[in-house]
Amino acid sequence: MTVRQDLEGLLPQPRELGIASMECSREREETMLQSLAAEGPFGPVESPRKATRRLVMHSMAMFGREFCYAVEAAFVTPVLLSVGLPENLYSLVWLISPILGFVLQPVVGSASDHCTSGWGKRRPYILALGMMMIVGMALYLNGDTVVSALVSDKGTRRTWAIVITMLGVVLFDFAADFIDGPIKAYLFDVCSHQDKEKGLHYHALLTGLGGALGYFTGAIDWGHTVLGKYLGSEFQVMFFYAALVFLICLIVHLCSIPETSLTVKAESDVLLKASQAYQYGSIGKVKNGYFNSGYNEIKISSQQGKPTVKEDIQVQTQMTIKSLLKVLLSMPSHYRCLCVSHLMGWTAFLSNMLFFTDFMGQIVFNGDPYAPHNSTAYLTYERGVEIGCWGMCINAISSSLYSYLQKALLPYIGLKGLYFIGYLLFGLGTGFIGLFPKVYSTLALCSLFGVMSSTLYTVPFNLIADYHREEESQNGGGGGKHRSRGKGVDCAALTCMVQLAQIIVGVGLGFLVSAAGSVVVVVISASAIALLGCCFVAFFVRYVEESSK
């Protein structure tokens, strides 16, 4: 009995944990705190491997988003034409959203990095942006019908229909472009490095499948079906399907992998930083059961096994726009080079995709979009546009297939090889289409567009994950001594290159087509930018897998 009592006296009691940690040696204190962070309520330092079904569930958001994107690509131009939008406002519609995205997307990424919601850092933003997407779709697909039911005056009805439709397009594009950054950051937060790579491949796979299904659904004439007659028009049918598919995918995504609250995560980081940054006696004092670390005050005595925070003070304060711009401008050079390569890739890809159906109608089928609507030239142009939509469907299917093939190629050629091949094949494919504009060869080469889109959706984000992993390993898993750039900011900085590419394409290609007098210049320009991107990704982009050898 005496020996047992002696042994019990040697064991620290829970209420004495803070005092014991201050009185022991620095080495023993650090070991105890690391053990606390790894095995206590703070969760493991390295995220456990996730089941495949969880990663597939997480990727469903990309399926739903791309389905909605395909619906927009198929119907937004007919909708804008049907409400009587003037031609001089077309460029305004397509430029407002990317300009807002380029300016505000890093701000949203930073805000999600510092979100203290008990539901997690990313999911509140994903849910809000998802609801904005649905509202945007509702406005541009149903706005004309709603305005017609509420406004009787023809002139006023036309004006309000144009305003509501434009607002819907801008709101949808804004939310759909923004949601990609939090989704990628969410994946990076909750997954190990191996699961990040696997999850990105599933993202690309389901992105392609969602686009293919969206284009296929849009190609069906719903106006003469029972559902079309019941809802009124094919626009309402497409809104019904798109909203239903996206809501289901969004719910599955939000329920896929639980997030850790930033407040709980910060508490473990505080304990570890305190043991590393201060000597005994300089950390502060333990007063009345509270441990003052210099960052926050954490109550050492536990209540129901969980630490409590005396004051809700974040370890990192949320950025202002000024400090955020400073962080983005001072980011490491390899991040900037990756952003430049991503900008070149998306500029080439969007240059081709946004004008592809018009290219098919005018160049491949020799149609005329400005001819009378009952003329053979115009009907030929419409036929080319329809075939162009099937080419976009081929692009989406090949993107899904290649994203699966990437996993098999990665061990042999690495990220550098995948990045280079994606740009090279796209550059050669678009070049041959511009030089030899034939129907069957063009449709066959559309499969190379999918190689490029799959590359843009996976490889740059894999490199971001590699950069984060390297930084964490160099800083002992702490993410840097004063890391003010979170994963959300880095993902947002990368994805806002898509908006910048849209701005460049929207402003520049119109003048280029007017100067050249032919849409062929669009395809040739896309090929030239992609081939230039080959050189850039080969010589300027940094690859961790090679530098670590």
Side-chain angles (χ1 to χ4, degrees):
M1 183 65 67
T2 305
V3 175
R4 183 178 179 181
Q5 292 176 350
D6 292 337
L7 289 174
E8 290 178 350
L10 293 175
L11 296 175
Q13 300 299 318
R15 66 178 181 273
E16 299 171 349
L17 179 59
I19 300 175
S21 65
M22 298 295 292
E23 292 177 346
C24 66
S25 64
R26 187 173 186 275
E27 291 77 14
R28 185 176 178 183
E29 179 190 38
E30 185 173 352
T31 302
M32 190 190 322
L33 291 172
Q34 289 176 345
S35 177
L36 232 173
E39 300 175 3
F42 309 112
V45 174
E46 177 69 19
S47 300
R49 297 297 299 271
K50 300 295 185 295
T52 300
R53 65 180 181 86
R54 293 285 183 180
L55 297 176
V56 173
M57 290 171 63
H58 190 278
S59 304
M60 290 301 294
M62 303 302 295
F63 180 94
R65 189 191 78 147
E66 202 64 22
F67 185 94
C68 296
Y69 259 142
V71 170
E72 184 198 33
F75 286 95
V76 73
T77 300
V79 169
L80 291 173
L81 291 174
S82 67
V83 299
L85 182 70
E87 292 183 1
N88 58 353
L89 293 180
Y90 280 153
S91 60
L92 181 63
V93 173
W94 298 116
L95 286 177
I96 291 176
S97 177
I99 290 173
L100 290 175
F102 180 72
V103 174
L104 297 179
Q105 197 164 57
V107 178
V108 174
S110 175
S112 69
D113 280 332
H114 299 85
C115 178
T116 57
S117 170
W119 201 33
K121 295 194 296 182
R122 317 297 179 185
R123 286 187 290 181
Y125 287 88
I126 294 173
L127 178 61
L129 292 169
M131 293 299 101
M132 288 174 62
M133 285 179 59
I134 294 177
V135 172
M137 281 194 300
L139 291 178
Y140 81 76
L141 287 175
N142 304 287
D144 187 25
T145 303
V146 174
V147 170
S148 299
L150 297 177
V151 181
S152 58
D153 182 69
K154 187 175 181 180
T156 306
R157 184 171 60 208
R158 178 177 178 269
T159 302
W160 276 106
I162 292 174
V163 171
I164 295 298
T165 303
M166 289 180 61
L167 178 62
V169 173
V170 171
L171 185 63
F172 174 82
D173 280 341
F174 177 84
D177 291 341
F178 264 54
I179 202 171
D180 188 50
I183 288 174
K184 293 295 192 299
Y186 177 15
L187 178 71
F188 290 176
D189 287 341
V190 298
C191 291
S192 63
H193 185 72
Q194 293 80 4
D195 285 340
K196 291 174 187 176
E197 295 180 349
K198 191 176 180 182
L200 287 173
H201 286 301
Y202 284 126
H203 277 201
L205 174 66
L206 291 178
T207 295
L209 291 177
L213 183 60
Y215 289 123
F216 178 78
T217 306
I220 299 175
D221 184 9
W222 294 102
H224 297 88
T225 63
V226 176
L227 188 60
K229 294 177 181 178
Y230 177 75
L231 293 177
S233 72
E234 62 178 346
F235 293 159
Q236 279 72 52
V237 175
M238 289 310 302
F239 171 72
F240 171 76
Y241 278 121
L244 181 63
V245 169
F246 183 73
L247 276 175
I248 293 174
C249 292
L250 183 64
I251 292 172
V252 171
H253 168 77
L254 294 175
C255 297
S256 59
I257 306 174
E259 283 190 273
T260 303
S261 172
L262 180 65
T263 305
V264 175
K265 188 175 185 296
E267 293 168 359
S268 61
D269 292 341
V270 165
L271 289 175
L272 291 173
K273 287 181 179 180
S275 66
Q276 295 171 358
Y278 298 96
Q279 297 292 333
Y280 174 78
S282 65
I283 301 177
K285 299 178 181 179
V286 176
K287 292 182 179 181
N288 301 323
Y290 289 92
F291 174 73
N292 184 1
S293 66
Y295 292 87
N296 203 346
E297 292 189 8
I298 297 179
K299 190 172 183 178
I300 299 300
S301 60
S302 60
Q303 296 177 357
Q304 298 178 352
K306 296 182 179 180
T308 59
V309 183
K310 180 180 179 182
E311 297 180 8
D312 189 14
I313 305 172
Q314 296 184 27
V315 179
Q316 294 177 332
T317 58
Q318 190 165 342
M319 294 183 179
T320 62
I321 295 181
K322 181 179 179 180
S323 61
L324 177 60
L325 291 175
K326 182 178 179 181
V327 167
L328 292 175
L329 292 174
S330 62
M331 67 193 327
S333 60
H334 52 278
Y335 281 95
R336 285 198 299 270
C337 288
L338 183 60
C339 287
V340 172
S341 68
H342 203 54
L343 173 63
M344 296 174 69
W346 273 106
T347 301
F349 186 73
L350 291 175
S351 298
N352 183 70
M353 298 306 293
L354 292 180
F355 290 85
F356 181 71
T357 53
D358 187 49
F359 172 81
M360 289 288 289
Q362 289 196 55
I363 306 302
V364 179
F365 278 77
N366 296 314
D368 185 3
Y370 303 105
H373 285 197
N374 57 352
S375 64
T376 303
Y378 184 80
L379 294 177
T380 303
Y381 173 79
E382 280 195 329
R383 178 60 178 167
V385 172
E386 291 176 1
I387 299 299
C389 289
W390 284 110
M392 296 173 72
C393 188
I394 293 173
N395 153 62
I397 294 173
S398 66
S399 176
S400 297
L401 295 176
Y402 183 71
S403 65
Y404 188 79
L405 182 62
Q406 277 184 326
K407 294 194 294 184
L409 294 176
L410 183 60
Y412 299 100
I413 62 178
L415 290 176
K416 184 176 184 179
L418 290 176
Y419 215 3
F420 182 82
I421 287 176
Y423 280 56
L424 178 63
L425 291 180
F426 180 80
L428 293 177
T430 51
F432 282 122
I433 287 176
L435 295 175
F436 309 102
K438 304 298 180 181
V439 177
Y440 294 107
S441 61
T442 299
L443 290 177
L445 290 171
C446 283
S447 59
L448 298 182
F449 302 166
V451 174
M452 181 63 161
S453 63
S454 179
T455 300
L456 292 173
Y457 279 123
T458 55
V459 176
F461 293 98
N462 270 320
L463 290 173
I464 285 282
D466 284 343
Y467 296 161
H468 287 158
R469 185 188 189 191
E470 183 185 48
E471 290 175 358
E472 290 170 359
S473 63
Q474 290 176 351
N475 294 282
K481 187 175 180 180
H482 298 288
R483 182 177 175 83
S484 56
R485 243 181 39 256
K487 295 176 182 178
V489 174
D490 289 337
C491 290
L494 192 62
T495 54
C496 76
M497 294 298 104
V498 182
Q499 280 78 52
L500 184 56
Q502 290 180 12
I503 296 171
I504 294 173
V505 170
V507 173
L509 283 186
F511 293 107
L512 197 61
V513 172
S514 299
S518 174
V519 189
V520 176
V521 70
V522 175
V523 180
I524 299 300
S525 299
S527 176
I529 296 172
L531 293 176
L532 182 62
C534 285
C535 301
F536 194 89
V537 301
F539 296 107
F540 295 98
V541 175
R542 180 170 171 268
Y543 301 89
V544 175
E545 57 187 3
E546 294 185 354
S547 61
S548 60
K549 292 180 181 180

